[in-house]
Amino acid sequence: MSSMNVKTPDILVSEVGPRDGLQSISQAMPTDAKLRWIAALAGAGLREIEVGSFVSPKLLPQMADAAEVVAGAIKISDLTVLALVPNLKGAERAIAAGVHKLTMPVSASRQHSLANIGKTPEEAIAEVAKVRTLVDTLPQDQRPALEVGISTAFGCTMEGPVPEDRVIEMAELLAKAGADSVGLSDTTGYANPAQVKRLFKRLFAGIGAKAGGAHLHNTRGQGLANVVAALDAGVTTFDSSQGGLGGCPYAPGATGNIVTEDLVFLLESMGLSTGIDIDRLIAARAIIQAALPGEPLYGHVPDAGLPKGFVPAALRSDA
């Protein structure tokens, strides 16, 4: 962990590049490079990393080594290892691999849900309940946490606007189905700050302590503005991808996930500690560049550098 961790960080930055980023690009990163990258991210102070997805290797060959990556990642101290699972079968494989946390995507858009996982939203919620039952059969100290992200919560490329009432109703149903936390995902990069603040406030009002984090995309340049809006609503966990890796299949040439380096700088510059050493974080980009030659990486902070005299939040007298 970073030496600047003098207290528990204010904000949890959950890195999703090794899963969301890598599964979105055609090149496959070698397993040993994935593990070096994950170790470098953890060394920079990342405390939570989504390292893979337990789906069919035929569908996502980039994730075929998920169990091997988990096996390596769980050896890193002070790191919570996440994996995405679309269904009960995936959860069984992830649990066998030893993950600390399962994350399940459940789409608020019926068309997106059917296209993405071949299930209706109602069937996806029922699948979460099945995974909860499975987790509860395990010894208490071996149960991974179960989080759900509501995909297309802010709009869908197929359906267009998604009713906010539907999103909150789904969150309440997922909480009852046994999710430990339910977050909101701007899968398509449609969200705006007013919408983000409003919907997260409703999420906290609806499910209280089970309200989870924000998974935001920068497809239309709104990513960091949406982070500030979510902060105003009380969100303390944010997903991001180093270098904005993966792009966005819905908008060619546009970045997809918000860039971890830019997110960390935003938070730290606002006086919110993340426990992450930005210089070491930026240095980890070299592993991606070597393993995925030619893959575009994004980020204003890596391009421009840190401002002269920049002091991390944990070391500031006004923090």
Side-chain angles (χ1 to χ4, degrees), residues 85 100-106 124-136 143-150 167-184 203 206-213:
V85 299
H100 303 135
K101 190 184 285 190
L102 303 166
T103 181
M104 298 185 71
V106 176
I125 293 170
E127 201 74 12
V128 171
K130 291 177 187 175
V131 173
R132 174 81 264 164
T133 300
L134 170 65
V135 168
D136 287 345
R143 295 177 185 175
L146 174 58
E147 71 174 29
V148 174
I150 300 183
V167 175
I168 299 305
E169 180 186 4
M170 285 185 67
E172 292 169 347
L173 289 171
L174 286 161
K176 289 176 184 171
D180 293 314
S181 68
V182 182
L184 303 179
L203 184 70
I207 62 173
K210 284 198 170 187

Side-chain angles (χ1 to χ4, degrees), residues 153-214:
F154 301 94
C156 173
T157 50
M158 300 175 185
E159 285 187 18
V162 172
E164 293 182 9
D165 288 349
R166 184 197 303 173
V167 175
I168 299 305
E169 180 186 4
M170 285 185 67
E172 292 169 347
L173 289 171
L174 286 161
K176 289 176 184 171
D180 293 314
S181 68
V182 182
L184 303 179
S185 300
D186 183 22
T187 314
T188 56
Y190 276 23
N192 65 72
Q195 181 188 23
V196 167
K197 186 173 181 178
R198 183 172 64 244
L199 204 49
F200 270 105
K201 280 190 169 182
R202 290 190 63 182
L203 184 70
F204 281 106
I207 62 173
K210 284 198 170 187

Side-chain angles (χ1 to χ4, degrees), residues 237-270:
T237 299
F238 293 89
D239 291 354
S240 60
S241 175
Q242 177 155 50
L245 193 65
C248 179
Y250 306 103
T255 53
N257 293 289
I258 55 174
V259 176
T260 304
E261 298 92 319
D262 292 349
L263 172 64
V264 171
F265 173 70
L266 170 76
L267 296 168
E268 293 280 343
S269 67
M270 293 174 68

Side-chain angles (χ1 to χ4, degrees), residues 89-138:
K89 183 178 179 182
E92 290 170 345
R93 290 173 56 210
I95 289 169
V99 299
H100 303 135
K101 190 184 285 190
L102 303 166
T103 181
M104 298 185 71
V106 176
S107 183
S109 158
R110 188 167 297 273
Q111 288 184 49
H112 181 269
S113 186
L114 290 167
N116 194 39
I117 59 171
K119 297 180 186 297
T120 65
E122 293 81 7
E123 289 169 338
I125 293 170
E127 201 74 12
V128 171
K130 291 177 187 175
V131 173
R132 174 81 264 164
T133 300
L134 170 65
V135 168
D136 287 345
T137 65
L138 301 170

Side-chain angles (χ1 to χ4, degrees), residues 36-62:
R36 285 199 310 277
W37 180 28
I38 291 165
L41 291 168
L46 270 296
R47 293 169 289 140
E48 182 171 288
I49 302 176
E50 191 173 321
V51 303
S53 178
F54 283 84
V55 296
S56 167
K58 292 178 182 176
L59 292 175
L60 284 176
Q62 304 96 319

